[in-house]
C-alpha cells in the first residue's frame, strides 16, 4: 500500500489540500506537514537568486530535476551528503506550494 494515495473527492469539493507527506503506518495513514520555509532559502548572491536548500549551492530545481530523471532519494543523498531526507521533502513541498499559488493566480486572472 505504500506510495499509493487515494482521494475521495466529491464533485464540487474544493481542490485544496495542505502541503503534506502521506506516511502509511500499518493500516492507518497519518499526515505530516512539511514547513519548507525552514529548509529553502533565497539569496540574491547565490545561484542567481534561485531558491536553494539551506543556503547551499544546491537549488530546488536541481533536486526536482534529479527526481524527475529517475534518481531515487537514496541516490541523491549518497551523491550529495550535505542534503537530508527533509531537504528533499522540502523541495517537493516548495514546488507544490508554488504550483498551487500559480494555479490560483491563473484561475482568478481569467
Amino acid at each position: 500500500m505504500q506510495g499509493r494515495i487515494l482521494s475521495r473527492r466529491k464533485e464540487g469539493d474544493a481542490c485544496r489540500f495542505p502541503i503534506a507527506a502521506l506516511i502509511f503506518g500499518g493500516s492507518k495513514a497519518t499526515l505530516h506537514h512539511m514547513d519548507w520555509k525552514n529548509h529553502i532559502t533565497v539569496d540574491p548572491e547565490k545561484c542567481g537568486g534561485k531558491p536553494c536548500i539551506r543556503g547551499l549551492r544546491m537549488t530546488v530545481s536541481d533536486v526536482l530535476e534529479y527526481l524527475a530523471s529517475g534518481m531515487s532519494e537514496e541516490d541523491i543523498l549518497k551523491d550529495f551528503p550535505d542534503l537530508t531526507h527533509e531537504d528533499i521533502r522540502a523541495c517537493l513541498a516548495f514546488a507544490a506550494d508554488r504550483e498551487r499559488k500559480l494555479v490560483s493566480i491563473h484561475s482568478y486572472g481569467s
Side-chain angles (χ1 to χ4, degrees):
M1 179 99 178
Q2 188 171 356
R4 210 168 114 190
I5 298 174
L6 304 175
S7 175
R8 294 193 176 153
R9 256 183 11 126
K10 296 177 185 167
E11 192 170 325
D13 284 354
C15 187
R16 228 172 237 251
F17 297 98
I19 297 172
L22 193 58
I23 299 174
F24 294 94
S27 62
K28 295 184 179 185
T30 307
L31 286 176
H32 294 277
H33 298 280
M34 165 50 74
D35 185 9
W36 57 261
K37 294 173 186 145
N38 294 329
H39 296 267
I40 307 301
T41 59
V42 177
D43 181 349
E45 300 296 317
K46 287 188 181 174
C47 299
K50 293 180 181 180
C52 294
I53 301 168
R54 294 181 288 111
L56 302 171
R57 294 191 182 275
M58 172 67 72
T59 66
V60 169
S61 60
D62 289 337
V63 172
L64 296 175
E65 287 177 13
Y66 294 139
L67 291 168
S69 73
M71 279 183 79
S72 70
E73 182 177 327
E74 291 76 25
D75 290 338
I76 294 170
L77 295 174
K78 188 170 38 172
D79 288 352
F80 303 98
D82 289 337
L83 298 182
T84 67
H85 168 74
E86 289 78 21
D87 292 333
I88 294 174
R89 285 186 50 220
C91 290
L92 294 170
F94 176 85
D97 190 38
R98 184 177 249 186
E99 176 64 18
R100 186 174 64 255
K101 288 176 183 174
L102 282 175
V103 169
S104 296
I105 290 170
H106 291 298
S107 296
Y108 294 120
S110 306

